[in-house]
Amino acid sequence: MKNIVILISGRGSNMQAIVDAQIAGANICAVIANRPDAAGLAWAAERGIATAVLDHKLYAGREAFDAALAALIDGYAPDLIVLAGFMRILTAGFVNHYAGRLINIHPSLLPAYTGLHTHERALADGVKIAGCTVHFVTAELDHGPIILQAALAVLDDDTVASLSSRMLEQEHLIYPQAVRWFVEDRLKLINGRVHVDSPAPAAVLIAPPVL
């Protein structure tokens, strides 16, 4: 059994997808938010999952907040920490403390479009394929070893809202899958790259039919 702590800042839709997946061997022992009004807290509590709030606004800086967050997380003896819409840039000390057991999902095909406003930037550039990426977190923002990706064909009439909505559906598929592989000890970090014990697809491509 692997203990998993999930960090959120809002409704935590990816957190919900992971919980709903009912992954064998996964013990979702806590959901922690940095915002007291995070809607995902009530959802988790209704399902009997322990919840906690650590308001980042009450701390003098990132280092102080991250130290308090790590102390809170470590109380659950986690094997894996999952960032599910956790809108904080984490310090190198925090990330290194959880090296190899801290994962995130990003709404682009990394290493493209790191940071914010990924869909706006992709549409502005006229890309034909967009996607999302589950990766291990490192001190360099959105550059950790890639675990799994999903890709979508960008439609001619896509807007930021429509592309984001369709992409979220893919996030809800690949994030639980990545967590499942971790729980099953199928992920290996070798020379900075992720190897998944077979059988396992490296990516999922979802595209409209060619007319």
Side-chain angles (χ1 to χ4, degrees):
M1 185 69 70
K2 294 284 199 303
N3 288 337
I4 299 174
V5 172
I6 303 178
L7 306 185
I8 65 173
S9 292
R11 64 192 175 104
S13 69
N14 274 303
M15 174 267 295
Q16 295 177 25
I18 291 168
V19 172
D20 284 343
Q22 298 183 342
I23 299 167
N27 174 35
I28 311 297
C29 54
V31 171
I32 300 172
N34 67 309
R35 295 176 178 170
D37 59 349
L41 291 169
W43 188 94
E46 288 170 359
R47 285 150 183 82
I49 301 171
T51 62
V53 176
L54 201 67
D55 190 344
H56 65 275
K57 295 179 181 178
L58 302 180
Y59 292 83
R62 293 189 188 279
E63 289 77 10
F65 173 76
D66 282 7
L69 180 60
L72 177 59
I73 292 171
D74 287 348
Y76 296 99
D79 298 287
L80 177 67
I81 299 92
V82 175
L83 305 181
F86 188 66
M87 303 304 291
R88 295 283 299 172
I89 296 177
L90 298 165
T91 59
F94 182 95
V95 170
N96 292 334
H97 179 63
Y98 297 111
R101 53 192 179 120
L102 177 63
I103 64 175
N104 180 50
I105 192 162
H106 183 75
S108 79
L109 290 173
L110 294 177
Y113 302 115
T114 61
L116 300 175
H117 309 301
T118 56
H119 300 311
E120 292 95 325
R121 290 153 61 197
L123 290 173
D125 286 344
V127 302
K128 301 303 182 184
I129 297 291
C132 51
T133 304
V134 182
H135 65 100
F136 282 105
V137 178
T138 61
E140 186 176 2
L141 181 66
D142 297 331
H143 277 85
I146 292 169
I147 300 170
L148 182 61
Q149 295 180 304
L152 282 174
V154 177
L155 307 178
D156 290 341
D157 60 351
D158 259 329
T159 64
V160 170
S162 66
L163 182 58
S164 176
S165 177
R166 292 194 298 120
M167 196 64 67
L168 196 59
E169 294 177 0
Q170 301 311 309
E171 292 182 28
H172 294 168
L173 293 176
I174 68 170
Y175 215 0
Q177 182 64 72
V179 172
R180 183 177 293 107
W181 287 344
F182 186 96
V183 170
E184 294 172 349
D185 293 320
R186 295 176 62 189
L187 301 181
K188 304 292 187 296
L189 270 171
I190 303 173
N191 297 324
R193 295 195 177 194
V194 176
H195 295 257
V196 184
D197 290 346
S198 60
V204 179
L205 178 62
I206 309 296
V210 177
L211 300 178

